[in-house]
Amino acid sequence: MTLPEAATTITRLNVRVQTLPEGIARARHWLAEARRVLVLTGAGCSAESGVPTFRGAGGLWRQFRPETLATPEAFARDPKLVWEWYDWRRQRIAQAQPNPGHYALVELEQRLGDGFALFTQNVDGLHERAGSQRVWRLHGDIWLLRCTGCGRQERNLAAPLPVLPPRCDRCGALFRPGVVWFGEPLPADVLDAAFAAARRAEVCLVLGTSSVVYPAARIPQSALESGARVVEINLEPTELSDRVHLSLRGRTGELLPQIVQGAG
Ligand code: BV8
Ligand code: ZN
């Protein structure tokens, strides 16, 4: 039986493991066999580094919900308020260190080379700081400033920023954070690469994401439909949990090293 048939069979059987160790062993086995692995990460991967998630308990900032601040409308209405939120997040992220989950993905990338593709919804840059080389950023980069006037982009690591809101020193227009806000399109090249990887992947790891934000949440679904074995790691059930082959309850920083190290 070739892998896709096996994966289809498993989907029909809707593999449910009784214990976490059994689930880790099964994920480890699938990873050991795979040559092409697609990884999608969300805010839960950075939570153990102390970076607040979007929808979890720490996801509120001064009684605002991220969805109300991460929009072009919010920025147009009150650029200073939106920049205070991003500046606060930049300072939190600057204090954060990558966690064992980030490092496990570096090890997996080194093992698989071209067969590995990491797509992150996170804008914190912790994958890159851990040493990941092949990171596709679906939602941009909090360390990037983009001028709303002349379009100039600059990486700026100042935390805190000296002046809020920051302005372009070339044209004087407001800088905005180099991230994708709600209602804005994702980078087309990154999205194309994600769905191309989803069509080819043998295993797809969905790590620390509530799977509610589109089109990113569509990527694992596309991998599933293309015959990949999909493994989710999350503290709680998500919109995807009932559709994946394996949904492991736990912290990415704890489970991912156990799965990756044992799959070598
Ligand atoms: C677009 C960057 C079109 C900014 C972000 C109705 C239905 C479907 C879609 C829509 C709809 N209405 C609107 C839409 C579209 C919208 C969308 O999906 N909305 C959702 C809320 C319904 N999408 C968009 O607007 C996208 N653009 O569609 O454009 C278009 C096309 C052409 C031309 C014009 C327009 C843009 C989406 C990108 C928005 N930007 N971030 C910034 O960061 O400031 S999204 C934001 O959410 C973050 O990137 C975040 O990463 C992302 C997803 O959240 P998660 O990463 O999953 O984080 P969350 O907190 O939700 O969950 C954390 C999970 O981790 C939890 O499950 C938790 O249990 C778990 N966890 C916690 N700790 C751990 C853990 N797991 C394991 N271990 C742990 N230790
Ligand atoms: Zn400018």
Side-chain angles (χ1 to χ4, degrees), residues 41-54 86 88-99 102 105 118-132 135-144 155-157 159 177-180 207-208 252:
T41 62
C45 279
S46 297
E48 287 161 81
S49 298
V51 179
T53 64
F54 255 67
Y86 278 93
W88 174 78
R89 287 174 67 195
R90 285 162 56 107
Q91 292 179 66
R92 292 286 302 256
I93 295 164
Q95 304 299 321
Q97 295 301 325
N99 65 62
H102 293 111
L105 292 176
L118 166 58
F119 293 85
T120 187
Q121 299 172 89
N122 301 335
V123 298
D124 54 37
L126 286 177
H127 286 302
E128 296 86 339
R129 276 179 49 198
S132 288
V135 184
W136 295 86
R137 285 188 286 270
L138 291 158
H139 295 161
D141 178 354
I142 202 166
W143 299 111
L144 204 60
R155 272 182 72 73
N156 176 315
L157 302 179
V179 300
V180 178
L207 309 173
T252 48

Side-chain angles (χ1 to χ4, degrees), residues 146-152 167-175:
R146 188 165 69 239
C147 179
T148 57
C150 64
R152 185 165 74 88
R167 287 187 175 276
C168 170
D169 45 17
R170 184 186 297 169
C171 76
L174 283 174
F175 271 128

Side-chain angles (χ1 to χ4, degrees), residues 3 6 44 77 90 103 121 128 182-183 200 209 219 256 260:
L3 189 58
R77 193 172 47 247
R90 285 162 56 107
Y103 291 112
Q121 299 172 89
E128 296 86 339
F182 288 100
R200 300 175 56 248
T209 178
I219 298 165
L256 204 47
V260 170

Side-chain angles (χ1 to χ4, degrees), residues 42-44 47-48 53-56 70 85-86 89 121-123 139 179-186 208-215 233-236 238 250-252:
E48 287 161 81
T53 64
F54 255 67
R55 287 163 196 87
W85 179 49
Y86 278 93
R89 287 174 67 195
Q121 299 172 89
N122 301 335
V123 298
H139 295 161
V179 300
V180 178
W181 278 328
F182 288 100
E184 294 186 323
L186 276 59
T209 178
S210 57
S211 292
V212 299
V213 173
Y214 284 80
I233 299 179
N234 200 305
L235 288 179
E236 53 195 33
T238 72
R251 300 187 178 290
T252 48

